[in-house]
Amino acid sequence: MPTKDDGADKEKCFELFKDIGLDEGTARNTVANKKVTTNLITVIDEAGVTGGCDRTVGNLLYTVATKYPGNALPNRPTLLQYIVTSKVKTAAQLDAALAFLAAIGPDNLDLKKFEEACGVGIEVSTEDIQNAVNEVFEENKEKILELRYRINVGELLGHVRKRLPWADAKVTKGLVDSKLVELLGPKTAADDEKPTKKKKEKPAKVEEKAAPIAAPEKPPEEELNPFLIFPNPEENFKVHTDVHFSDGSILRCSNTKELLDKHLKATGGKVLTRFPPEPNGYLHIGHAKAMFIDFGLAKDRNGGCYLRYDDTNPEAEKKEYIDHIEEIVRWMGWEPFKITYTSDYFQELYELAVELIKRGHAYVDHQTPDEVKEYREKKLNSPWRDRPISESLKLFEDMRRGLIEEGKATLRMKQDMQSDNYNMYDLIAYRIKFTPHPHAGDKWCIYPSYDFAHCTVDSLENVTHSLCTLEFETRRASYYWLLHSLGIYQPYVWEYSRLNVSNTVMSKRKLNRLVTEKWVDGWDDPRLMTLAGLRRRGMTPTSINAFVRGIGITRSDGTLISVERLEYHVREELNKTAARTMVVLNPLKVVITNLEANSVIEVDGKKWPDAQADDPSALYKIPFSNVVYIERSDFRMQDSKDYYGLAPGKSVILRYAFPIKCTEVILADDNETILEIRAEYDRSKKTKPKGVLHWVSQPSPGVDPLKMEVRLFERLFLSENPAELDNWLGDLNPNSKVIVPNAYGVSSLKEAKVGDAFQFERLGYFVVDKDSTVEKLVFNRTVTLKGSYGKGGK
């Protein structure tokens, strides 16, 4: 089945995916993702169901296409036969099968152990499930009767699943639902009511022993520790990958016992990972996931993670980027085991390149870039591919000494120009560049390529786990081919999905264009998904890492994560750490006519919702005078039943202060523009209006409240996935940044420092920006108070 990106082929793929039972939405989304489409077509062919199959089998095949472990591809046809013959027929069985295959990799499959691991041949009848459900309900009867339909059904299903791991999930869910109705009867109106929240009581000052609380059921181990999927260093003797050559031969790459023993002796058996950014721009949120995996695995195993600058391209790298990367890595909470540069190894890499030539695996080539491209497209060998080793050695030495012009020669690896893998088409190992290096100086005029340097430096640094994103999966063959050809240690490689976030772009090329063409205000513009931008916006390392951890270390490619999911984690943290205060963005003057002009009453505002009146540290002082300011949007000339703001003749409560009633409205000469409101306050607080407004007052007669600039940020792009658009710059949101130049804040904010975070009541979470001056504070809105993610957002 062709997979070219044209309408006709996409429609054929769409029809094929519907034939195997995928619903229309899933089929459309799959066709839009080239990688998943290619994988799924291959799986359908291997399974022998190109003519279609039932929905159950089709959904299992889709899971195989998206989640199958890349290290176990030789065993995939066997799994597919188990699926099409209904020996593996449930999601639980398939999950167990994938875990088993990931553990053995490409090793020969022991069918007996495989079948035991994923429940082949175990039939679970409806009667068996019903008996298990009855047992679970009997054990939890008291709790179910107490909570009724508010009981956690997922917890009940989990108890059944522990008893019968291979039971059909849909049947189980149906029987649990039926059992609830049988035990509790139909739902009542009371069951649909939200439980009333109990007011938090002030904690007793006298320390008392807390009554024992039943521990909640623990989530699965892999949720508590996502790093359990990775093997230990001493297990790195298995076949990493099979390199298939066009002549039919297969290279199975793995460490020899001698190489592994030497490696373990050098590392002491510790886990060593590396975070290898290229210093050609600022890090973005995708790098946060890479850091979480690279540094997180090392931390989990009491090992170390190198911060290694991948600085093989001297034309694109800057000291600014190098300094930024080190600083932002530490800001994210990670401490490098050692900071290294690929350029630290230029001498060793050069010697390895010479060794590769001597072994007959590399040659000096004189093709131009256009000729290289043409020959690759035609799968043709370079005319210089078979030149004598001695000749390539001399020419490579001439390249190193600067005796050959830039662009007139490259060193290429002698791989397989007829391979099915484009990344085995004699990749370039070295090229000439007469450009001084920002770290290595002017010693070198030849520089290694990523494909040559990345894996060899991994080996030189004794990295145990080389972790990267899925687009590098096709480079596995060249990675291991090179290490095998040189006879040096081979790290364990594992790929994970890129982090793609909605309403933004994350390619460095696009980010660089946004910055250099001044569509945004620099690399740390709060609208960008750079980590510097997120920090300036007020997002914290803790919330960013919680977001990344929540997504998981997945291999499913192409998923677009809603930015609301990140904002959810930010709110979760700021709700606990950002003190409450009051700011009015668009002030409307209110004169309290029954309060003397020179009179100021101090009231206490709460920094936290549950602040106690006798805890001064949890309160702040707010001056209440006869001139206060409310939001212009909180006043209407025309009242209505569903409106809780202020209107002529209507009362509202000023938060933490007093009820006020509008007695008069002062209009401009146009009889429309509201200049000022006159009101009376109720000092006795006997009035009990429903509306509660935030406000700011003059701290003393005739003195304006604290003036500040507030910047309101929205999504930078209007579309969820602007990177897919031809005119992606045309999708920029014109309202992504709105500046409110003359907002008013309470007096206590004048002591705020850059980076301090606050919740502006009713407005959102804000942080003090670096543009702040002694004369005027500047605040950035981090997030609004509410989002849709917690209500079922993706």
Side-chain angles (χ1 to χ4, degrees), residues 251-417:
L251 171 65
R252 292 186 167 88
C253 300
S254 63
N255 285 311
T256 63
K257 185 178 186 303
E258 292 73 25
L259 281 174
L260 183 57
D261 287 346
K262 182 181 176 183
H263 159 77
L264 293 172
K265 185 177 179 181
T267 62
K270 282 193 171 185
V271 165
L272 290 178
T273 61
R274 83 291 171 271
F275 174 60
E278 186 178 354
N280 61 353
Y282 277 44
L283 301 186
H284 54 64
I285 195 164
H287 293 105
K289 179 174 181 178
M291 278 187 261
F292 177 79
I293 297 173
D294 292 327
F295 284 96
L297 171 60
K299 184 177 180 181
D300 179 72
R301 304 285 176 88
N302 295 314
C305 179
Y306 291 92
L307 168 55
R308 185 207 302 158
Y309 292 103
D310 178 23
D311 59 341
T312 58
N313 184 5
E315 295 169 336
E317 291 142 16
K318 293 181 183 178
K319 181 77 163 56
E320 172 194 353
Y321 302 144
I322 291 171
D323 293 342
H324 155 75
I325 289 169
E326 181 179 346
E327 189 263 339
I328 212 74
V329 164
R330 288 196 163 99
W331 177 74
M332 284 295 296
W334 306 116
E335 186 60 37
F337 156 68
K338 190 176 180 182
I339 297 176
T340 61
Y341 296 76
T342 297
S343 56
D344 292 339
Y345 303 94
F346 275 177
Q347 182 61 41
E348 291 93 331
L349 293 176
Y350 172 76
E351 291 168 5
L352 286 172
V354 170
E355 179 64 24
L356 196 67
I357 298 171
K358 288 179 178 179
R359 293 183 176 215
H361 296 309
Y363 62 97
V364 172
D365 186 32
H366 301 293
Q367 287 186 302
T368 66
D370 287 340
E371 287 171 337
V372 170
K373 182 181 178 184
E374 179 188 351
Y375 273 57
R376 280 179 168 165
E377 287 173 352
K378 295 177 179 179
K379 292 191 172 186
L380 296 175
N381 289 342
S382 163
W384 289 276
R385 193 175 199 265
D386 296 318
R387 73 189 329 158
I389 289 173
S390 59
E391 194 176 310
S392 282
L393 285 171
K394 181 183 181 304
L395 287 167
F396 190 49
E397 174 64 12
D398 289 345
M399 287 171 62
R400 185 190 70 80
R401 293 171 59 198
L403 301 179
I404 300 178
E405 290 180 45
E406 189 170 326
K408 296 296 184 181
T410 59
L411 182 69
R412 292 179 67 182
M413 295 179 262
K414 191 183 288 188
Q415 296 168 301
D416 186 359
M417 288 297 294

Side-chain angles (χ1 to χ4, degrees), residues 84 177 180 200 256 342 426 565 586 592 598 675 741 749 787:
V84 297
D177 290 342
L180 278 173
K200 291 185 179 179
T256 63
T342 297
D426 288 13
R565 187 165 177 172
N586 298 294
I592 310 296
N598 61 354
L675 298 177
L749 281 172

Side-chain angles (χ1 to χ4, degrees), residues 722 725-732:
L725 304 175
D726 292 333
N727 181 23
W728 59 278
L729 286 170
D731 191 55
L732 283 165

Side-chain angles (χ1 to χ4, degrees), residues 634-708:
D634 280 337
F635 180 82
R636 285 184 192 173
M637 291 298 291
Q638 207 63 40
D639 194 14
S640 62
K641 287 184 179 179
D642 58 350
Y643 175 61
Y644 294 97
L646 193 60
K650 186 177 181 179
S651 296
V652 295
I653 295 176
L654 297 182
R655 188 152 174 78
Y656 306 124
F658 306 95
I660 62 168
K661 180 179 181 179
C662 175
T663 57
E664 186 181 357
V665 180
I666 309 299
L667 300 174
D669 293 340
D670 60 8
N671 282 327
E672 289 185 8
T673 306
I674 300 170
L675 298 177
E676 176 181 305
I677 304 296
R678 302 283 171 84
E680 294 180 352
Y681 87 112
D682 175 10
R683 177 140 195 178
S684 67
K685 299 185 180 181
K686 290 181 179 178
T687 313
K688 303 292 182 185
K690 290 183 179 179
V692 180
L693 307 184
H694 65 284
W695 55 279
V696 173
S697 76
Q698 288 186 352
S700 57
V703 177
D704 285 336
L706 181 68
K707 283 186 180 177
M708 59 182 62

